Amino acid sequence: MPANALMLLHIESARRRRALARRRLALSHGPRGPYTLLNSTVPIIRQFLDDTVDLRPNLRLSCCSLTALTAAIDLNVTRGWPKDIEVLLFVFWLAHAASYRVVAAACDIPKSTVHDIVHRVTKAVMGILGSTIRLPNPDQLEDIAAGFSRLGGSPALRTVVGAIDGCHVRIKPLAAHQLDFLNRKLFHSIQLQAICDHQGRFLDLFVGFPGSVHDARVLRNSPVYYRQLYPPEGWCILGDGGYPCLGAPICLLTPYREPVANPVQARFNTIHGKARNIIERAFGMMKARWRSIFLRALEVKPAFASEVVTCCAILHNICMDNGDLFEAEPPPEEDGPPPCSDAASGENLRDRLAAAVSAPEVAAAVLQDHDYC
């Protein structure tokens, strides 16, 4: 199906869902308790029920993305609220990272109800983690590798099937564990480690380690490393200088340390940086969309903060599937040198790949004409 036709189909589906929500809203004014009555004069609800209003300024999601999210999750509505309205309140809370009291006042809904809705919808969104953020199947690896070759501008990257990096998410930790969450940039955070493909779509996620832990240690404790989930044998992923260069248990190639020893290493670092930058752009797009989550401290418990960040990553993939993109933020600073690791070094693999990057694709005509045998 052509992209334009698919987009029109999504828009029409969203309009039908809004019409259904309007009918439910009308029914909600029947013989029900006051806690299940919606105030249709509230601006955000009025905009949601209006087909002509763009939802992105207030919800950070397009109509198509919101519709796809509502259709994907399995949400048991127990208090008489329509499913669409509960998802709307959750996304509104996520877009503004406001307190439950502020959201309750903005939507004219009791604070306890807002708290219940946010946590129930969060659990429902976490339920689609495995179907939204998943590793590619063997048939997709060739396409991903071709995409990284285009990003780096070199056919030598035809074995690269992912880019890995981590970022810090600000939180307000419990008083007893403040030092555990204090990172090298001197603010409290939890860590988000992600692997993405050549388009910036997340393939794997690992969230929750305290900010004081080094990126390399987070990697060693993640399932993708100790269970050797990705990449498959014969393929590799790219990481920055905060990770060790590995050949096993997973193949992870990092750039050469500056200053480089020769032009071959310098050329490899340039190609490597162009290809690896896609993970920085993926983080940048997610942070640009959910500014309130990533640019100020989350005022929730660290355990729930990990679930909120995971929901943001899930919504990132849903938005990419629906062509709903945000301009990326500037990439963060790279970590310093990694600690020593007892894993197998990948320096020989990196040297061979660097040589392949610098090797000419076609031999010079002078060399082809001469017989060296």
Side-chain angles (χ1 to χ4, degrees):
M1 182 178 295
N4 291 339
L6 184 61
M7 184 64 68
L8 291 176
L9 182 61
H10 281 308
I11 293 175
E12 182 61 29
S13 176
R15 288 176 177 173
R16 288 198 299 269
R17 295 190 67 85
R18 286 193 185 184
L20 178 60
R22 283 196 295 269
R23 290 195 294 270
R24 289 175 175 173
L25 180 62
L27 292 175
S28 68
H29 290 280
R32 297 190 178 189
Y35 290 103
T36 59
L37 295 181
L38 286 175
N39 185 352
S40 59
T41 63
V42 170
I44 185 62
I45 296 179
R46 187 173 66 247
Q47 292 176 10
F48 173 71
L49 298 176
D50 188 347
D51 295 342
T52 63
V53 175
D54 183 12
L55 301 177
R56 283 163 60 97
N58 280 325
L59 299 183
R60 317 300 290 174
L61 292 179
S62 69
C63 178
C64 293
S65 299
L66 187 64
T67 301
L69 171 64
T70 306
I73 63 175
D74 183 15
L75 184 62
N76 294 322
V77 179
T78 59
R79 291 179 176 263
W81 299 98
K83 180 181 178 181
D84 308 70
I85 297 300
E86 294 204 353
V87 174
L88 170 69
L89 291 178
F90 166 74
V91 174
F92 181 80
W93 174 82
L94 198 65
H96 300 277
S99 66
Y100 301 130
R101 187 183 304 276
V102 171
V103 176
C107 300
D108 194 21
I109 291 176
K111 185 180 72 171
S112 60
T113 302
V114 172
H115 173 276
D116 186 43
I117 288 175
V118 166
H119 281 259
R120 286 196 300 107
V121 178
T122 298
K123 296 295 184 184
V125 176
M126 290 287 292
I128 62 172
L129 173 63
S131 61
T132 308
I133 299 179
R134 60 184 183 274
L135 298 175
N137 59 53
D139 297 334
Q140 298 173 313
L141 294 177
E142 292 288 349
D143 291 337
I144 296 175
F148 275 99
S149 295
R150 290 192 297 270
L151 289 175
S154 171
L157 300 183
R158 58 183 174 273
T159 59
V160 176
V161 289
I164 185 172
D165 201 5
C167 73
H168 292 269
V169 182
R170 295 174 183 267
I171 64 167
K172 289 191 175 180
L174 301 176
H177 303 286
Q178 289 192 12
L179 292 180
D180 295 335
F181 292 93
L182 186 65
N183 61 33
R184 65 183 180 85
K185 299 179 182 179
L186 302 181
F187 63 84
H188 299 96
S189 66
I190 58 173
Q191 296 226 44
L192 162 62
Q193 175 189 282
I195 299 176
C196 77
D197 63 10
H198 62 291
Q199 297 176 325
R201 197 175 189 278
F202 293 130
L203 304 177
D204 181 77
L205 211 65
F206 186 60
V207 192
F209 257 65
S212 61
V213 180
H214 195 278
D215 283 358
R217 184 179 174 189
V218 175
L219 171 66
R220 289 198 300 270
N221 285 274
S222 62
V224 74
Y225 177 89
Y226 66 77
R227 293 173 56 186
Q228 304 178 33
L229 298 179
Y230 196 76
E233 186 176 356
W235 305 90
C236 66
I237 58 176
L238 304 179
D240 63 16
Y243 295 102
C245 188
L246 299 173
I250 64 173
C251 187
L252 193 165
L253 302 184
T254 59
Y256 290 98
R257 299 281 181 83
E258 298 288 348
V260 295
N262 51 58
V264 172
Q265 294 184 0
R267 193 174 297 111
F268 172 79
N269 280 6
T270 300
I271 299 299
H272 181 285
K274 289 181 180 179
R276 188 193 59 81
N277 186 255
I278 186 64
I279 185 63
E280 307 283 7
R281 287 160 52 193
F283 282 149
M285 287 188 289
M286 184 170 62
K287 291 180 179 180
R289 184 181 303 276
W290 309 114
R291 291 176 179 270
S292 298
I293 298 293
F294 291 96
L295 299 186
R296 66 186 185 190
L298 270 174
E299 298 186 18
V300 297
K301 294 180 179 179
F304 186 55
S306 299
E307 295 182 2
V308 172
V309 173
T310 302
C311 288
C312 291
I314 292 172
L315 291 175
H316 169 82
N317 277 10
I318 290 176
C319 290
M320 290 205 66
D321 291 342
N322 288 275
D324 182 11
L325 304 179
F326 259 71
E327 185 177 352
E329 292 284 339
E333 298 179 3
E334 294 185 0
D335 286 340
C340 295
S341 172
D342 56 358
S345 172
E347 293 181 0
N348 291 335
L349 294 173
R350 181 174 63 186
D351 291 341
R352 290 201 295 269
L353 185 58
V357 167
S358 295
E361 297 182 22
V362 180
V366 174
L367 299 179
Q368 293 177 347
D369 293 340
H370 189 78
D371 185 7
Y372 288 94
C373 298

